[in-house]
């Protein structure tokens, strides 16, 4: 099976010129990027859904389970990122350890992870926008703020079906235009928005803590309904699987390798730093949110913070917090779109995707055409698919990528034991094995429909690989050329 050597990957990392990405990110930028995408969908949207449908107040335990699985995977990511500071994240690591076919599967899986993640947040952004506008008597037509698979009951009792979520589509397209201008500007914008989001989280925790109703924690782990994943300990596990994708911030940090100064040092800082900061905030935030309002009140709501904050006397704070959340969501969408385009960039450079996705705009030094195409695709996804579907699809895609990275560390330690590793995963093979087991358990806890969608997505990806990627693979073409030369 075709594999990329570490030497070849390091040569790619050292490339310079007009068709390479500009190195402009430092360790602080990377932590901000990681925190920027982590603090968003998990705290402000799916936390309420997972609490209402799966874990109840024990959503805090779900976050801890997810964080433990992330910690194992993050340590493995950090080792790879320091060894192979090349854009592409798990796709690139799989190319070096398991070969081209597995690399394609992971790359295609990452496409699902980032694109659906951006769509999830865009849909929640739309719901918070409607909540904010409603406070001022502004109401948009319900048909234009829901997917065709959703319905709403009007004040008079009539039920209407959605057509398309227009606000969700517009925010994706707007952020795409920001990304096109370059990562330095995007990082500056992201750092500003992240500061605002962290402030909102801290204010919510600080002010909300004194109005917690202990009765909302009874029972802390609601009794299982008789169905796996609906409360009880199986609900805690499924809740962990549902919210797991919110931790993909450190994963996206790894995709920014070729735009990072001193990546061997700064990538591990960005990966582990963003995970540590957010884990603490997640548990505290979930505890306060389910203490302010009963978990049943979050049913079918992608804007649970708006519900929780109404339980406090700070009516003046509600509008300000929701506005800050709306602004903060933009950084999550921004980082997801960045990660998506950088994976496509790496795959196209290897010949597995059409060259348009590896083409760099001379003015902005970014993959402009790729960003436009992907932005349009994700905007359509956000406009026509409900949030419950896209959230679970993102989780299973993330978990599969993490399993492959943990396995890759085991393979590389055996195959290349003496390779330079500026950061080494501790306690190998224990940490990678625990990472694999934790992620597999959370994958198994997700509904079978989610597995079916993953299988369909991977089948489509394999059809593209065998129809285009395998024929145009640069590594494959070189191998065929070498074999032909030896035959002469």
């Amino acid at each position: 099976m075709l594999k990329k050597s570490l030497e070849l990957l390091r040569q790619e990392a050292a490339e310079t010129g007009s068709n390479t990405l500009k190195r402009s990110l430092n360790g602080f930028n990377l932590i901000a990027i990681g925190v920027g995408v982590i603090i968003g969908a998990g705290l402000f949207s799916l936390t309420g859904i997972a609490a209402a449908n799966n874990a109840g107040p024990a959503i805090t335990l779900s976050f801890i389970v997810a964080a433990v699985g992330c910690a194992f995977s993050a340590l493995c990511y950090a080792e790879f990122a320091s060894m192979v500071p090349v854009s592409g994240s798990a796709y690139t690591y799989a190319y070096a350890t398991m070969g081209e076919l597995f690399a394609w599967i992971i790359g295609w899986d990452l496409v699902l992870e980032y694109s659906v993640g951006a769509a999830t947040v865009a849909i929640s952004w739309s719901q918070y926008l409607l909540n904010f506008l409603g406070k001022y008597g502004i109401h948009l037509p319900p048909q234009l703020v829901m997917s065709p698979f959703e319905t709403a009951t009007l004040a008079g009792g009539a039920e209407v079906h959605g057509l398309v979520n227009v606000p969700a589509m517009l925010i994706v397209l707007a952020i795409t235009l920001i990304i096109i201008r370059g990562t330095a500007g995007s990082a500056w914008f992201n750092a500003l928005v992240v500061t605002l989001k962290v402030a909102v989280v801290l204010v919510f925790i600080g002010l909300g803590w004194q109005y917690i109703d202990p009765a909302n924690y009874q029972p802390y782990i609601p009794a299982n309904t008789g169905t796996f994943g609906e409360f009880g300990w199986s609900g805690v596990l499924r809740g962990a699987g549902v919210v797991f994708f919110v931790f993909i911030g450190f994963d996206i940090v790894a995709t920014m390798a070729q735009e990072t100064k001193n990546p061997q040092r700064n990538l591990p800082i960005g990966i582990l730093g963003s995970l540590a900061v957010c884990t603490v905030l997640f548990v505290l935030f979930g505890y306060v949110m389910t203490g302010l309002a009963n978990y049943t009140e979050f049913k079918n709501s992608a804007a649970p913070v708006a519900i929780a904050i109404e339980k406090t006397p700070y009516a003046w704070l509600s509008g300000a917090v929701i506005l800050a959340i709306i602004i903060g969501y933009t950084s999550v969408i921004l980082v997801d779109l960045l990660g998506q385009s950088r994976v496509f960039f790496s795959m196209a450079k290897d010949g597995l995707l059409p060259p348009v996705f590896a083409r760099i705009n001379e003015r902005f030094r970014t993959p402009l055409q790729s960003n436009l195409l992907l932005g349009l695709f994700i905007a359509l996804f956000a406009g026509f698919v409900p949030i419950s579907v896209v959230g679970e699809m993102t989780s299973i895609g993330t978990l599969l990528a993490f399993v492959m990275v943990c396995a890759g560390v085991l393979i590389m330690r055996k195959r290349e034991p003496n390779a330079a590793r500026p950061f080494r995963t501790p306690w190998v093979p224990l940490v990678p094995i625990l990472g694999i087991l934790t992620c597999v358990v959370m994958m198994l806890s997700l509904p079978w429909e989610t597995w079916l969608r993953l299988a369909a997505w991977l089948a489509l990806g394999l059809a593209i690989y065998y129809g285009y990627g395998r024929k145009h693979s640069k590594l494959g073409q070189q191998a065929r050329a070498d074999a032909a030369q030896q035959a002469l």
Side-chain angles (χ1 to χ4, degrees):
M1 187 176 291
L2 293 171
K3 297 184 181 71
K4 275 194 172 185
S5 67
L6 288 178
E7 183 59 34
L8 178 59
L9 289 170
R10 287 170 181 150
Q11 288 175 10
E12 291 180 10
E15 287 178 356
T16 59
S18 60
N19 201 47
T20 59
L21 299 168
K22 184 178 180 180
R23 293 191 182 275
S24 57
L25 305 176
N26 57 33
F28 174 79
N29 295 145
L30 293 175
I31 291 178
I33 285 173
V35 172
V37 72
I38 294 173
I39 296 182
L43 288 181
F44 301 140
S45 62
L46 288 186
T47 303
I49 293 175
N53 297 338
N54 308 114
I59 189 65
T60 51
L61 298 180
S62 295
F63 276 126
I64 292 172
V65 171
V68 169
C70 272
F72 297 138
S73 302
L75 291 168
C76 295
Y77 260 98
E79 175 167 313
F80 265 127
S82 69
M83 290 176 65
V84 188
V86 181
S87 183
S89 184
Y91 159 76
T92 301
Y93 310 153
Y95 218 147
T97 57
M98 302 177 189
E100 185 174 275
L101 178 58
F102 282 100
W104 169 268
I105 292 173
I106 288 301
W108 191 245
D109 176 63
L110 289 173
V111 172
L112 174 70
E113 175 185 331
Y114 297 146
S115 59
V116 179
T120 302
V121 182
I123 295 168
S124 186
W125 181 94
S126 174
Q127 291 199 19
Y128 274 107
L129 177 66
L130 297 179
N131 188 293
F132 179 77
L133 294 177
K135 292 180 180 296
Y136 299 95
I138 302 173
H139 301 282
L140 302 180
Q143 295 92 337
L144 301 181
V145 295
M146 296 186 296
S147 77
F149 304 97
E150 296 173 291
T151 60
T153 303
L154 302 181
E159 189 174 77
V160 296
H161 283 269
L163 295 176
V164 59
N165 194 329
V166 174
M169 295 182 68
L170 292 178
I171 188 59
V172 171
L173 296 174
I175 296 300
T176 296
L177 296 179
I178 293 175
I179 289 173
I180 285 171
R181 296 189 62 84
T183 52
S186 300
W188 178 87
F189 171 79
N190 182 66
L192 180 65
V193 173
V194 167
T195 301
L196 175 64
K197 282 200 294 187
V198 172
V200 168
V201 171
L202 294 176
V203 167
F204 177 80
I205 293 171
L207 295 181
W209 196 281
Q210 56 190 316
Y211 296 99
I212 288 174
D213 181 359
N216 288 327
Y217 296 129
Q218 302 301 323
Y220 189 66
I221 303 178
N224 183 262
T225 63
T227 301
F228 183 89
E230 293 183 8
F231 308 110
W233 282 105
S234 67
V236 171
L237 286 177
R238 178 163 291 181
V242 170
V243 301
F244 189 87
F245 91 97
V246 306
F247 288 99
I248 65 174
F250 74 82
D251 177 18
I252 290 179
V253 167
T255 72
M256 310 305 295
Q258 283 182 269
E259 292 157 276
T260 300
K261 303 172 184 176
N262 191 7
Q264 285 86 354
R265 172 184 176 273
N266 286 327
L267 284 173
I269 290 174
I271 290 169
L272 298 173
S274 59
L275 178 61
V277 169
C278 292
T279 298
V280 174
L281 293 177
F282 272 33
V283 173
L284 292 176
F285 193 94
Y287 181 79
V288 172
M289 192 187 77
T290 53
L292 289 175
N294 189 276
Y295 68 92
T296 57
E297 296 183 54
F298 302 130
K299 189 79 172 178
N300 298 324
S301 173
V305 176
I307 295 172
I309 208 166
E310 294 294 341
K311 306 296 183 179
T312 74
Y314 300 109
W316 58 269
L317 184 62
S318 179
V321 168
I322 292 172
L323 179 61
I325 290 171
I326 290 170
I327 297 171
Y329 261 14
T330 58
S331 70
V332 184
I333 301 169
L334 181 148
V335 179
D336 274 334
L337 293 177
L338 272 175
Q340 160 78 322
S341 64
R342 273 36 177 187
V343 172
F344 260 49
F345 174 80
S346 297
M347 296 174 76
K349 281 193 70 176
D350 292 330
L352 302 182
L353 287 173
V356 64
F357 293 108
R359 198 167 296 150
I360 300 296
N361 178 268
E362 292 186 5
R363 178 183 176 188
F364 299 118
R365 296 279 297 278
T366 60
L368 184 149
Q369 293 170 298
S370 176
N371 283 331
L372 286 175
L373 289 170
L374 295 171
L376 180 60
F377 168 76
I378 294 169
L380 291 172
F381 212 75
F384 291 96
V385 181
I387 191 169
S388 59
V389 173
V390 293
E392 290 175 353
M393 286 176 67
T394 309
S395 291
I396 199 166
T398 306
L399 288 163
L400 178 58
F402 288 1
V403 167
M404 300 294 275
V405 170
C406 291
V409 166
L410 293 173
I411 293 171
M412 288 303 286
R413 284 292 185 96
K414 185 174 182 63
R415 182 182 299 152
E416 301 274 357
N418 299 319
R421 291 174 170 82
F423 178 90
R424 296 178 66 88
T425 301
W427 305 312
V428 173
L430 179 62
V431 166
I433 290 173
L434 289 176
I436 292 170
L437 292 176
T438 307
C439 292
V440 168
V441 167
M442 282 187 279
M443 289 178 74
L444 293 174
S445 74
L446 290 170
W448 68 268
E449 296 95 335
T450 305
W451 281 87
L452 192 61
R453 295 185 192 106
L454 175 65
W457 177 259
L458 293 179
L460 174 62
L462 288 173
I464 295 173
Y465 172 72
Y466 284 106
Y468 180 90
R470 191 178 184 187
K471 298 174 184 176
H472 295 84
S473 164
K474 292 182 179 179
L475 204 60
Q477 289 175 348
Q478 183 62 49
R480 288 190 290 271
D482 291 344
Q485 185 66 31
Q486 291 176 2
L488 293 178

